[in-house]
Amino acid sequence: MSVDRETASQQQGPGSAVTAVPAVRESVGGVPGLPHVCDPVPAGDVAGTPSSTAQSLRSTPRLVGIDAARGLALVGMIAVHQFAATDSDGTASLAWTLAAGKSAALFALLAGVGIAFTTGGRRRRPTGRTWTAQAASLLVRALIIGAVGLALGHLVPTDSAGVILPYYAVLFVLAVPLLSLSSRALVVLATVIVLVVPGLSHLLRAGTEPVIVPNMTVTDLVDRPLQVLMELTVTGQYPALAWMAYLCVGLAVGRAALSSRAVVGAVILVGGALVVVSMTVSWLLLDVFGGRARLDQVALQSMTPQEYADVTTSGWNGTTPTDTGWWLATMAPHSGTSLDLTYTIGVALVVLGACILLGRMTTTLLRPLAAAGSMTLTLYCMHLVMLSAPAVPGGPTGFLLQVAVLVAFALLWSRDHARGPFEELVAEAAGAVRRKVLAAPETGHRGAHRKG
């Protein structure tokens, strides 16, 4: 599910390819500096990661820490699908405590980072014909990813895993109007989404109960398109309208000077502050101002104590009940509340910043994660197929087996290929459309005079 950067130089033409590799930065404190994606680079598509791709295939370098963060998100999602939500004593399991809600949020935020890279990075936001080309390219990506997700919906049982790809495709579509926004505008929009959308969703769903939305299929899209659209945007497991907050933050981060340690440090500090603020506000609302007692009273009228304990521990499936507004003060995984969004954005920023800093110090330690992170669409699909196979065990054994298989595949494939198999398909299709739009003749004729 990674998004490779496709920056075409108009001076060289839409079909140009460059194989030169920018020089490595001068060492700082004895540690060689890594070339960064926000540095000036020749035209051409990004190919692989610095740590895992053959030198001849590196048209431009990628920031290894970002790929490692994607790989970490993938491992987290596998853990959530393989481990039980709670231990025998009813408390959240370690896997769910570390990854539930956070891994998927990190994926969504990194989608925004990737889109920022593909559409000009820090120095130039797309306008005019370039905007049209990038928008068309993004829509093609959304179409292919959505189609893959709907196909997987026929294979993967909902109780095994929620397929995120159809929601991810909608996020790509919703990202099109954001391509030319400034970083400040993106942060403001993310703030508005976090503060407004969860409450609006709560009002729109008044009188309904949260349900587990089945994994969507091609049949669902044909038979009930309006209901599917509502599920993808508001009521599903990863409601796109609320999750646009992750995308906006990711776009803003992707346009920052990530080659600067000070900027990356600021990303980590902001993330840490968001985590602290969300936890503090939730504690004040629930435990100081009496929200928890009221929530307990209302919730236990419609669910058993065990059911209530389970959902508050392991989380919901994208939305919360509407029987009381106090649900909006919770921050359980996948609850979609303002505090849940704020908390998971903060965690994602901290993880991303830490991976970038670690990637500046060493690529060797991050190589397995970075290799996996450079082809997460392929590996995510492989994981879902293995998850649905009866022969693959569950629990820790299944987790270790799947991680080992996927990382080994990524390391071996990246030795001779610039992208994963599915990433190559998406990049080729999206790149072809982008180049076609850029090469199309102008429709208007300047200086023409109407004959009278």
Side-chain angles (χ1 to χ4, degrees):
M1 291 185 289
S2 63
V3 182
D4 291 327
R5 187 159 57 105
E6 294 179 339
T7 51
S9 171
Q10 296 180 358
Q11 289 81 6
Q12 295 181 349
S16 62
V18 177
T19 58
V21 181
V24 175
R25 290 174 180 267
E26 294 182 359
S27 62
V28 179
V31 179
L34 290 176
H36 287 274
V37 72
C38 40
D39 290 334
V41 295
D45 295 341
V46 169
T49 64
S51 61
S52 62
T53 304
Q55 181 77 14
S56 61
L57 297 177
R58 299 180 210 163
S59 58
T60 53
R62 296 176 67 168
L63 197 54
V64 65
I66 292 180
D67 279 334
R70 284 196 188 98
L72 191 61
L74 176 66
V75 171
M77 293 189 79
I78 297 173
V80 170
H81 295 158
Q82 288 293 132
F83 288 93
T86 57
D87 292 328
S88 56
D89 59 357
T91 60
S93 65
L94 178 61
W96 276 66
T97 300
L98 294 176
K102 305 177 184 69
S103 297
L106 179 57
F107 261 133
L109 188 141
L110 287 169
V113 175
I115 292 172
F117 288 171
T118 68
T119 56
R122 179 167 65 96
R123 287 179 171 79
R124 53 191 186 279
R125 302 195 300 272
T127 57
R129 176 69 69 86
T130 302
W131 182 91
T132 304
Q134 298 290 7
S137 173
L138 201 57
L139 291 175
V140 170
R141 290 178 181 273
L143 181 63
I144 298 175
I145 290 173
V148 172
L150 293 175
L152 287 170
H154 291 278
L155 175 67
V156 182
T158 304
D159 57 357
S160 295
V163 180
I164 197 174
L165 295 183
Y167 301 89
Y168 209 75
V170 174
L171 285 178
F172 275 36
V173 174
L174 295 177
V176 169
L178 311 180
L179 295 181
S180 295
L181 293 184
S182 66
S183 296
R184 179 175 298 180
L186 289 166
V187 171
V188 171
L189 180 58
T191 304
V192 171
I193 291 172
V194 167
L195 295 177
V196 173
V197 170
L200 182 60
S201 171
H202 188 84
L203 293 175
L204 291 175
R205 294 180 295 102
T208 66
E209 291 295 327
V211 296
I212 298 178
V213 176
N215 287 327
M216 296 172 195
T217 65
V218 177
T219 304
D220 294 329
L221 185 61
V222 173
D223 292 345
R224 50 186 188 92
L226 294 181
Q227 184 178 346
V228 167
L229 179 61
M230 178 62 70
E231 291 170 352
L232 287 172
T233 54
V234 179
T235 62
Q237 297 188 56
Y238 313 98
L241 289 183
W243 280 53
M244 281 295 292
Y246 300 121
L247 198 74
C248 289
V249 173
L251 277 166
V253 171
R255 289 178 180 157
L258 296 179
S259 59
S260 166
R261 285 180 174 84
V263 170
V264 177
V267 168
I268 295 175
L269 290 176
V270 169
L274 291 176
V275 169
V276 172
V277 168
S278 57
M279 294 177 67
T280 301
V281 171
S282 181
W283 170 72
L284 288 173
L285 291 174
L286 294 176
D287 297 318
V288 176
F289 298 148
R292 191 177 303 280
R294 178 57 181 161
L295 183 59
D296 293 347
Q297 179 183 0
V298 173
L300 292 175
Q301 294 178 5
S302 58
M303 60 182 70
T304 66
Q306 184 60 51
E307 291 173 337
Y308 180 49
D310 287 343
V311 297
T312 53
T313 300
S314 57
W316 293 92
N317 289 279
T319 57
T320 55
T322 59
D323 47 9
T324 174
W326 285 109
W327 283 112
L328 296 177
T330 64
M331 45 183 290
H334 291 298
S335 59
T337 66
S338 296
L339 295 174
D340 172 43
L341 293 173
T342 304
Y343 175 73
T344 49
I345 287 173
V347 171
L349 290 176
V350 171
V351 172
L352 175 58
C355 286
I356 292 174
L357 290 182
L358 185 59
R360 292 176 63 94
M361 294 185 290
T362 175
T363 60
T364 302
L365 292 178
L366 294 184
R367 183 180 179 187
L369 281 177
S374 69
M375 56 185 77
T376 44
L377 175 59
T378 296
L379 300 189
Y380 177 74
C381 294
M382 292 174 61
H383 156 61
L384 292 181
V385 171
M386 287 191 290
L387 189 67
S388 305
V392 177
T397 302
F399 169 75
L400 293 175
L401 174 64
Q402 291 192 45
V403 170
V405 169
L406 296 180
V407 171
F409 174 86
L411 289 171
L412 290 173
W413 184 272
S414 61
R415 293 177 60 184
D416 300 311
H417 299 84
R419 302 183 182 92
F422 282 4
E423 284 76 12
E424 185 65 31
L425 170 66
V426 174
E428 288 296 328
V433 170
R434 174 179 54 80
R435 291 189 292 270
K436 185 173 181 179
V437 173
L438 288 173
E442 295 287 347
T443 57
H445 299 280
R446 296 181 182 179
H449 297 281
R450 181 181 300 173
K451 295 181 180 180

